[in-house]
Amino acid sequence: MIESLRTPDERFRGLPGYGFAPNYLDELPGYAGLRLHYLDEGRQDGPVFLCLHGQPSWSYLYRKMIPVLAEAGRVIAPDLFGFGRSDKPVDDAVYTFDFHRNALLGLVEALDLTEITLVCQDWGGLLGLTLPLAAPRRYARLLIMNTGFAAGDRPLGPGFEAWKLFNRAQPDLDIAALMRRATPILSEAEAQAYAAPFPDQRYKAGVRRFPELVPDRLDAPGAELSRQARDWWETAWDGPSFMAIGGADPVITPEAMAAVRRHIRGCPEPMIVPEAGHFVQEWGEPIARAALAHFAACR
């Protein structure tokens, strides 16, 4: 059994724009005693939109996209362990690339998701872009935003190294303050909503660990698998793709996303939102509508 904390439900009451019902998986294989939270919105008989968040966010990040995507199908938005309404292991060492990837694979299997549009950003992409290797026939479309392949074969860049140093120095990271700086359009209530899952420092092991997990060398955990995934997206992927880029992201820049695009077979010119930063989903409604229109045109 992994020692974990569970954020009290009252922390999630009345969050602006987040009136979604919680759903839980209690017994994922290999995760005994841990409860995984996910949102399940829209039509049960439609195509699936699997929306994957990163650090230090959670499914709240997708609140502006979910209603649009739910018009077209079924939206599944999980909270990774350590984030959102999911349980939070207290030992920093629990958080590994495989720990999170295998949990996502377990979610896909447990819900038997097919006809998936992979919707990913930040760690949602570092992990999510590897998922089709396990079951490629489950995946039909890609909506990718400000992320990349965790291949470990190129420098992470000065922006990311600075972020690692900052995060390392902040074991009790002020998440609301970070989100306000990164996304100035947030109201104070929205910024505080991002911090709702984390009552105190004990709940932030995942927040602390994720920047340290990004592969920075060829033999880092997850790097070889990510290189295999990059090759797969470049040579085997045959579904429609849509890329949206936050043009003001200081870490994953438009230039970095252009490099990612070259590895996604058939990916068209991206939609760039010049004023959007790293958390581009905060401009998510027009992105979701543009992606749906693109997918419809590809039928």
Side-chain angles (χ1 to χ4, degrees):
M1 295 285 289
I2 295 173
E3 183 184 359
S4 67
L5 297 169
R6 183 169 295 173
T7 305
D9 287 343
E10 56 264 26
R11 300 272 302 183
F12 300 99
R13 291 180 187 144
L15 301 184
Y18 193 78
F20 309 114
N23 300 270
Y24 298 100
L25 287 173
D26 292 300
E27 293 296 337
L28 284 176
Y31 296 85
L34 294 179
R35 189 177 75 170
L36 185 79
H37 168 259
Y38 65 98
L39 301 179
D40 191 345
E41 299 287 323
R43 305 196 332 261
Q44 296 297 304
D45 62 343
V48 172
F49 298 89
L50 178 60
C51 299
L52 303 181
H53 71 85
Q55 185 267 11
S57 61
W58 54 291
S59 56
Y60 187 76
L61 181 72
Y62 283 101
R63 71 195 182 283
K64 296 179 180 179
M65 300 181 75
I66 288 171
V68 178
L69 299 177
E71 296 172 4
R74 181 185 182 189
V75 183
I76 302 294
D79 291 332
L80 296 172
F81 285 121
F83 298 85
R85 299 185 81 146
S86 290
D87 286 349
K88 298 166 182 67
V90 298
D91 183 355
D92 291 22
V94 168
Y95 296 86
T96 67
F97 192 99
D98 286 344
F99 175 80
H100 290 290
R101 180 177 186 262
N102 290 335
L104 290 174
L105 291 174
L107 170 80
V108 170
E109 290 287 337
L111 300 181
D112 193 23
L113 302 180
T114 58
E115 193 66 16
I116 295 172
T117 300
L118 180 63
V119 185
C120 58
Q121 176 260 355
D122 192 83
W123 266 99
L126 301 187
L127 295 165
L129 290 167
T130 73
L131 300 182
L133 293 180
R137 293 184 181 179
R138 291 185 182 271
Y139 296 84
R141 291 164 296 275
L142 172 67
L143 199 178
I144 183 172
M145 300 164 280
N146 291 61
T147 188
F149 295 96
D153 58 357
R154 61 193 65 183
L156 297 178
F160 188 81
E161 293 296 345
W163 161 238
K164 280 176 67 175
L165 289 173
F166 175 79
N167 188 76
R168 197 177 295 160
Q170 308 288 325
D172 191 14
L173 180 67
D174 187 337
I175 292 170
L178 171 70
M179 295 304 297
R180 284 193 299 270
R181 289 195 301 273
T183 314
I185 65 170
L186 291 177
S187 69
E188 180 59 25
E190 289 173 319
Q192 292 296 334
Y194 275 106
F198 312 102
D200 60 51
Q201 180 175 334
R202 297 173 301 154
Y203 292 76
K204 296 179 182 177
V207 174
R208 290 190 293 271
R209 282 295 297 155
F210 262 57
E212 307 294 334
L213 298 179
V214 178
D216 57 1
R217 61 186 192 279
L218 290 173
D219 61 347
E224 182 178 357
L225 184 67
S226 297
R227 293 193 295 274
Q228 293 172 8
R230 187 175 61 189
D231 291 344
W232 183 87
W233 286 99
E234 189 170 359
T235 62
W237 172 244
D238 61 1
S241 302
F242 186 89
M243 177 178 284
I245 302 172
D249 188 341
V251 177
I252 304 179
T253 63
E255 292 75 19
M257 289 302 293
V260 173
R261 177 174 168 251
R262 288 194 289 271
H263 294 291
I264 300 173
R265 185 181 179 197
C267 187
E269 288 289 331
M271 174 182 181
I272 299 178
V273 186
E275 69 275 21
H278 183 64
F279 301 99
V280 67
Q281 292 96 322
E282 288 295 340
W283 289 259
E285 181 177 347
I287 292 173
R289 295 199 183 282
L292 290 178
H294 173 70
F295 295 147
C298 291
R299 290 174 185 164

